[in-house]
Each structure stands twice: as structure tokens, then as C-alpha cells.
Amino acid sequence: QTLDSRSFDYAFDSQSPQNETYASQAVVYDTVGPGLLDSFRQGFHCSLFTYGQTGSGKTHTITGTESDPGIMPRLIADLLKQLEERKQ
């Protein structure tokens, strides 16, 4: 007997902003970003893994655009903001 068990933390709908379940870049970041940032600040090694079909938006989710940044630019901005706040 084999057991095929797959798990994931989140799956986001990015098909159409008109869908009730649509997840914008901000929603995706607000879901995963704070936990990653907290773990990083506690000294843990962190990684973010995106998986999907070619052309499904993995790179866009990570990098975003200048007007709608993805997870990494938002993480870096929040980290720098927190570091600046600690200086004061």
C-alpha cells in the first residue's frame, strides 16, 4: 500500500479581479509575508517556493511590477522599514 500525501500552505486565485476569490499581490503578501518576515527576524532560514505550470504567474507573484510589487519587493521594503524603526 502506498500513501500519496501532498500538502501545501496556500493556493491563490489569480484568474480575474472580478472573481470574489481573486487574490491581489497585496492579499498574497499579507497572507505569507508577515510570517516569513517574523521567522527571518528570529534568525530562521527562510525560503519561498512557488510551483505551477509555465506561464502561470510564479515570477510575477515573486517580483511583481513597479506599480504592483510582488512578495520579495514588499518583504524587503517591510524589513528595511522595521530596521529603520529600530534605529529610532
Side-chain angles (χ1 to χ4, degrees):
Q1 178 181 14
T2 56
L3 178 61
D4 185 10
S5 173
R6 298 180 182 150
S7 67
F8 55 90
D9 294 320
Y10 305 101
F12 297 100
D13 174 12
S14 62
Q15 289 298 307
S16 173
Q18 288 75 34
N19 290 347
E20 183 180 316
T21 58
Y22 177 77
S24 65
Q25 293 282 52
V27 167
V28 173
Y29 177 74
D30 290 344
T31 303
V32 300
L36 281 171
L37 192 54
D38 287 344
S39 293
F40 177 76
R41 290 185 61 224
Q42 292 175 32
F44 291 97
H45 295 281
C46 298
S47 64
L48 180 63
F49 180 77
T50 59
Y51 177 81
Q53 186 174 349
T54 299
S56 63
K58 300 174 297 292
T59 300
H60 179 72
T61 299
I62 298 297
T63 60
T65 63
E66 191 171 329
S67 63
D68 192 20
I71 293 172
M72 291 311 294
R74 291 172 192 260
L75 273 171
I76 293 166
D78 280 354
L79 177 60
L80 293 174
K81 180 181 171 187
Q82 289 180 12
L83 290 173
E84 189 62 35
E85 289 170 354
R86 285 181 63 186
K87 285 182 182 179
Q88 299 172 358

